[in-house]
Amino acid sequence: MRIRRSVDRADLKAIGEIRRALRDLLRHRCRAEAADVAELLITELVTNALVHTEHGAEVSASLAAATLRVEVRDYTARRPRPYAPSADDGTHGRGLALVQALADAWGVDPLALGRGKVVWFELRAG
């Protein structure tokens, strides 16, 4: 069970469609709390890819057994770094910190020849 989506650069409206597709994938297959966390984390990764890179992104999510894996590929080799926001940053900069805190596993895999990277997370959905 899988979803795949391409998102154009700066198309922040596509994030809602990706969330709905993920919700449909997870419906009746995982705990409601896990689905809520998955929606939050996919939103953070896709938003980061669209805001902090010059191109769009490729998003995929797959559910196997009781594990959800989400991958967001962008076309910038620069590795993301978790940011420690100050109190007056509002909500800015908390995306990777949320991924670190809530995902069961996460990472960044560089693509060959500097063609970008894949930022991913896994979440036990069962």
Side-chain angles (χ1 to χ4, degrees):
M1 298 176 13
R2 161 170 288 221
I3 61 170
R4 282 191 186 276
R5 298 290 188 275
S6 293
V7 184
D8 292 329
R9 179 180 182 266
D11 183 8
L12 297 178
K13 290 189 278 183
I15 295 171
E17 194 278 327
I18 291 169
R19 288 175 61 102
R20 282 187 296 281
L22 181 66
R23 194 176 314 123
D24 288 345
L25 175 71
L26 299 178
R27 188 182 322 265
H28 308 299
R29 294 176 186 93
C30 71
R31 298 174 286 110
E33 300 83 20
D36 291 343
V37 169
E39 281 188 56
L40 173 65
L41 298 185
I42 200 170
T43 300
E44 294 297 335
L45 292 188
V46 173
T47 300
N48 282 351
L50 297 181
V51 170
H52 298 293
T53 68
E54 297 295 320
H55 304 283
E58 304 294 324
V59 181
S60 68
S62 58
L63 185 61
T67 301
L68 171 69
R69 182 176 176 95
V70 170
E71 298 179 349
V72 178
R73 177 188 187 222
D74 65 46
Y75 300 91
T76 301
R78 185 179 66 249
R79 292 177 62 87
R81 290 183 316 240
Y83 171 73
S86 65
D88 46 331
D89 276 345
T91 59
H92 170 74
R94 289 176 167 73
L96 282 181
L98 286 170
V99 174
Q100 271 185 319
L102 299 174
D104 294 310
W106 81 281
V108 180
D109 298 333
L111 299 175
L113 304 173
R115 292 186 178 154
K117 65 187 169 295
V118 174
V119 182
W120 58 270
F121 72 84
E122 291 181 347
L123 190 63
R124 281 189 296 279

